[in-house]
Amino acid sequence: MSANLNIDDNLILLDQHAATKEQAIRLAGNLLVENEYVEAPYVDSMIERNKDVSVYMGNFIAIPHGTEDGKKYIKKTGISIVQLPFGVDFSEDPEVEKVVTVVFGIAGMNNEHLDLLQKIAVFCSDLNNVVKLADAQSKQEIIEMLKEVE
């Protein structure tokens, strides 16, 4: 089954600040909870997933999603987007900087998250697209950009 990138504006937070990668992941995860895409324990699962394998994807983006065990908390497939204009470092190594300015929180039913991950990764492989997402001044601007993603 193919998932689309139709984003509800309730799932977007603009101009946010996070001191740590965990806070950034929680911002994205809590949007999914508040909009009934996942149950609250899924957010902890997203944090655990990042500890197992970094959700930093390069090009200033991170795509946190839950662990295999966390899938039981997913109610429906969805994506949240958190814009972090000042960035947050996702690196484990103090000598290496992995700054993230856009976080995509993903909940995928029936492995739909794999399709979503691929679409976001392709869209964000163009750094200009990431800059536009990070600089967007409205939720509608982000929604319009992502509508073009196939």
Side-chain angles (χ1 to χ4, degrees), residues 50-74:
N50 185 58
K51 289 178 182 171
D52 291 344
V53 180
S54 176
V55 296
Y56 174 76
M57 305 301 283
N59 273 7
F60 304 100
I61 66 164
I63 309 179
H65 52 284
T67 61
E68 190 69 27
D69 195 43
K71 287 182 178 178
K72 62 188 172 204
Y73 301 113
I74 298 173

Side-chain angles (χ1 to χ4, degrees), residues 79-99:
I79 303 174
S80 63
I81 299 172
V82 178
Q83 186 188 58
L84 301 159
F86 295 102
V88 61
D89 190 2
F90 267 65
S91 176
E92 295 293 329
D93 182 347
E95 309 248 336
V96 178
E97 196 170 68
K98 294 180 177 176
V99 175

